[in-house]
Structure formats: structure tokens, C-alpha cells
């Protein structure tokens, strides 16, 4: 539970930093959009974790799938950030 809440907090900080430091138009726009998606999916992940605690195997499987999706979006976001730093 604590790790999930910290993850949501970190995702919120990431959205705020992305929105305040990157221009929302042009090449920085995908960073803001992906950060917002990560934040939304982190909230969903936390809720799925709470519901999987009750023994629901369906929510546990969605919890795993959502975690993989968050990881993929985080990797994509990092690749965009590093590509923008080189330009």
C-alpha cells in the first residue's frame, strides 16, 4: 500500500514538473501527455491493488497488466526526454 501511494505521489510530481518545465506545444507535448497517462494509470494501479487484496483474481490480473503498461510508458517517456536533450 505504501509503495503504491508513493508511486502515485511521484507520478503527480512528474506531471507537475513536465507541465511547468516543458512547452505544451511542439516536441515537448508528448512528455506532458505521457506523464499524465502515467499518473492516471498509477491511480488505477493503486485501486486495483486495493481490490486485489480482497482475493479477486480478475483485478490481480489487471493489476499486473497495468503495471507492465506503466513500465512501458515510463520507458517511452524517458526515451523522449533523452532524445530532446540531444537536439
Amino acid at each position: 500500500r505504501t509503495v503504491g501511494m508513493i508511486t502515485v505521489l511521484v507520478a503527480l510530481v512528474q506531471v507537475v514538473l513536465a507541465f511547468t518545465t516543458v512547452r505544451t506545444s511542439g516536441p515537448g507535448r508528448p512528455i506532458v501527455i505521457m506523464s499524465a497517462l502515467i499518473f492516471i494509470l498509477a491511480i488505477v494501479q493503486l485501486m486495483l491493488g486495493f481490490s486485489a487484496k480482497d482475493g479477486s483474481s480478475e483485478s490481480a490480473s489487471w493489476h499486473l497488466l497495468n503495471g507492465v503498461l506503466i513500465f512501458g510508458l515510463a520507458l517511452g517517456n524517458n526515451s523522449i526526454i533523452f532524445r530532446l536533450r540531444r537536439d
Side-chain angles (χ1 to χ4, degrees), residues 7-24 28-43 77 81:
T7 303
V8 170
L9 183 63
V10 168
L12 176 63
V13 170
Q14 179 182 350
V15 170
V16 170
L17 287 174
F19 189 74
T20 57
T21 59
V22 177
R23 285 182 237 138
T24 56
R29 185 176 178 156
I31 295 172
V32 176
I33 292 171
M34 288 178 81
S35 296
L37 279 173
I38 291 170
F39 175 65
I40 292 168
L41 289 175
I43 292 173
N77 205 5
I81 291 169

Side-chain angles (χ1 to χ4, degrees), residues 40-77:
I40 292 168
L41 289 175
I43 292 173
V44 170
Q45 183 78 345
L46 186 64
M47 295 301 122
L48 284 171
F50 285 147
S51 65
K53 187 177 180 184
D54 298 333
S56 171
S57 62
E58 184 177 346
S59 60
S61 64
W62 282 108
H63 183 75
L64 177 66
L65 181 65
N66 194 33
V68 171
L69 183 60
I70 291 171
F71 182 72
L73 282 173
L75 287 177
N77 205 5

